[in-house]
Amino acid sequence: MHTIATIKDVANMAGVSTTTVSHVINKTRFVSKDLIERVNDAITTLNYQPYGLARSLRRKQSGTIGIVIPDNTNPFFAEVVRGIEDTCFENGYSVFLCNSDGKPAKERNYLQLLIEKGVDGLVLVSTGDDEEAMRLLENREIPKVIVDREISGLHMDSVLVDNQQGGYSAARYLIELGHRTIGCIMGPSNITPSGQRIEGFRKGLKEGGLLLDENMVATGDFKSFGGYEGFKKLLRGELVPTAIFVCNDMMALGALNAARELGIDVPEQLSLIGFDDIALASLINPNLTTIAQPKYELGETGAELLLKRINNKGRSESRIVKKTHLVIRDTCLPANSTDR
Ligand code: RIB
């Protein structure tokens, strides 16, 4: 059966990345003569039609994709969006990026606007369990995909991570370091990854013979100041933790700031572990130990799912769950080495 060559087929044959193939086709960046020749030879051999299929299938379409994220100041979303945008661009689509600022009303307005503007598909990282926005989406034929934040009861293509496994890994790591008095700064309770991470964290503690003391839990807003305030709340308690799991890196940065202000040395006096592995995690001092999410791949896979949906609206629903992994850097030490 004659299969239509994709940009990945061209890249594989030429021995380059799909981004390089895209830059050769669109002349958007310098590429060496040798690579240009290899790419063009592959295009000819495979009879690859850069936008032929996409354009023909898009006959009455705008060639644009709408993206709505909750916080464009958080580097986590910047990396997710980069994965979406690269994949869309390589397949002949431009993107509109909208920031809902975590506000359901703003999210609904942007979704409505993008639909009215006639985008060919939507990628959404939701503000949380926003019923009205989800009803708006469910009642519309427009191809759409949910990335990162699952919405209970909503049936559409989604690309997520195993947040329970991530929270569980954080707990097991701290227990293996010998910590017994462990606190947690969780994200907003209306956002599914928050609850899932805490669920996994509790499970990991329980397997280590520990229960998460409710007085050792602070709730933040996934922003740095929320982590700063959460840290200070935990340190005001009667029971002072020797380790804290922070449910995203931006809050962990705020917690590090609070520790500095309180004269608490991380990790000498208190261990800290984050979640996301944003680029800043490896640049700050001390470098942050964290649970890494596949941020770029979340966006890339989300865009790939959306393009498949655009080209085949009747395809069955996909739910892809990716794994997280522990990245050990400099903010955790064994409990017995903690200078309390
Ligand atoms: O840092 C932002 C957080 O919100 C991330 O952990 C991501 O999972 C998103 O849901």
Side-chain angles (χ1 to χ4, degrees):
M1 183 186 89
H2 173 65
T3 54
I4 295 168
T6 66
I7 192 167
K8 280 187 176 175
D9 298 330
V10 173
N12 292 338
M13 178 172 281
V16 299
S17 69
T18 52
T19 305
T20 299
V21 174
S22 167
H23 287 306
V24 169
I25 294 168
N26 297 296
K27 298 180 177 45
T28 41
R29 192 177 70 188
F30 170 78
V31 180
S32 71
K33 194 167 176 305
D34 168 52
L35 288 188
I36 290 173
E37 277 174 16
R38 279 160 52 184
V39 168
N40 287 333
D41 288 350
I43 287 173
T44 307
T45 307
L46 294 168
N47 187 29
Y48 172 64
Q49 305 294 325
Y51 305 130
L53 172 65
R55 187 176 287 124
S56 65
L57 289 167
R58 233 183 19 240
R59 208 165 286 115
K60 295 193 184 70
Q61 294 176 325
S62 64
T64 59
I65 298 291
I67 307 171
V68 182
I69 57 171
D71 180 1
N72 63 325
T73 65
N74 184 326
F76 169 86
F77 297 111
E79 291 192 51
V80 171
V81 166
R82 186 58 195 266
I84 299 168
E85 199 268 336
D86 282 350
T87 307
C88 290
F89 181 79
E90 288 164 8
N91 286 276
Y93 285 86
S94 302
V95 302
F96 292 121
L97 176 60
C98 303
N99 173 43
S100 64
D101 201 18
K103 297 183 176 71
K106 197 174 177 188
E107 179 185 65
R108 286 195 297 279
N109 291 341
Y110 270 132
L111 290 171
Q112 189 69 41
L113 175 72
L114 290 166
I115 292 170
E116 285 164 7
K117 291 287 181 193
V119 295
D120 299 324
L122 288 168
V123 181
L124 173 65
V125 180
S126 81
T127 57
D129 269 333
D130 177 8
E131 299 295 326
E132 277 188 58
M134 297 314 116
R135 264 199 302 278
L136 170 76
L137 285 179
E138 274 214 307
N139 300 336
R140 297 294 181 118
E141 277 306 303
I142 185 170
K144 49 208 168 256
V145 64
I146 288 268
V147 170
D148 174 51
R149 296 179 177 182
E150 192 166 28
I151 306 291
S152 50
L154 195 65
H155 302 291
M156 64 171 80
D157 293 327
S158 51
V159 184
L160 313 162
V161 300
D162 188 343
N163 288 293
Q164 285 96 331
Q165 169 252 341
Y168 178 86
S169 305
R172 299 306 300 168
Y173 176 62
L174 293 176
I175 285 173
E176 280 155 23
L177 289 177
H179 292 281
R180 309 289 295 169
T181 313
I182 302 173
C184 172
I185 302 173
M186 64 181 284
S189 52
N190 69 318
I191 295 176
T192 40
S194 300
Q196 293 168 342
R197 287 168 202 172
I198 292 299
E199 192 184 320
F201 188 63
R202 288 183 195 280
K203 180 170 180 276
L205 291 182
K206 193 172 177 194
E207 286 183 7
L210 298 177
L211 285 179
L212 183 57
D213 181 331
E214 289 315 315
N215 295 317
M216 300 286 272
V217 178
T219 302
D221 55 359
F222 272 155
K223 295 178 187 287
S224 56
F225 191 63
Y228 173 90
E229 288 187 313
F231 185 92
K232 291 206 166 179
K233 173 185 180 279
L234 293 180
L235 272 290
R236 281 196 297 270
E238 279 176 37
L239 205 53
V240 179
T242 61
I244 296 176
F245 167 47
V246 191
C247 286
N248 86 323
D249 287 354
M250 286 308 287
M251 293 199 296
L253 299 185
L256 281 170
N257 213 17
R260 206 171 291 118
E261 273 187 16
L262 293 172
I264 294 172
D265 185 287
V266 174
E268 293 303 327
Q269 294 175 288
L270 186 147
S271 290
L272 209 60
I273 181 169
F275 200 109
D276 285 349
D277 195 23
I278 58 176
L280 279 172
S282 60
L283 299 175
I284 55 167
N285 181 29
N287 288 182
L288 182 66
T289 295
T290 187
I291 302 293
Q293 293 203 63
K295 298 165 288 298
Y296 185 91
E297 294 77 9
L298 273 171
E300 183 182 45
T301 306
E304 287 169 350
L305 269 190
L306 183 64
L307 296 175
K308 285 177 182 169
R309 177 69 59 193
I310 287 170
N311 294 336
N312 175 7
K313 289 190 172 54
R315 71 192 299 274
S316 56
E317 184 185 301
S318 295
R319 183 177 186 272
I320 297 172
V321 181
K322 294 179 180 284
K323 288 292 179 200
T324 64
H325 66 276
L326 171 64
V327 178
I328 297 173
R329 294 194 178 102
D330 305 328
T331 51
C332 291
L333 280 177
N336 56 16
S337 67
T338 298
D339 167 19
R340 303 283 327 142

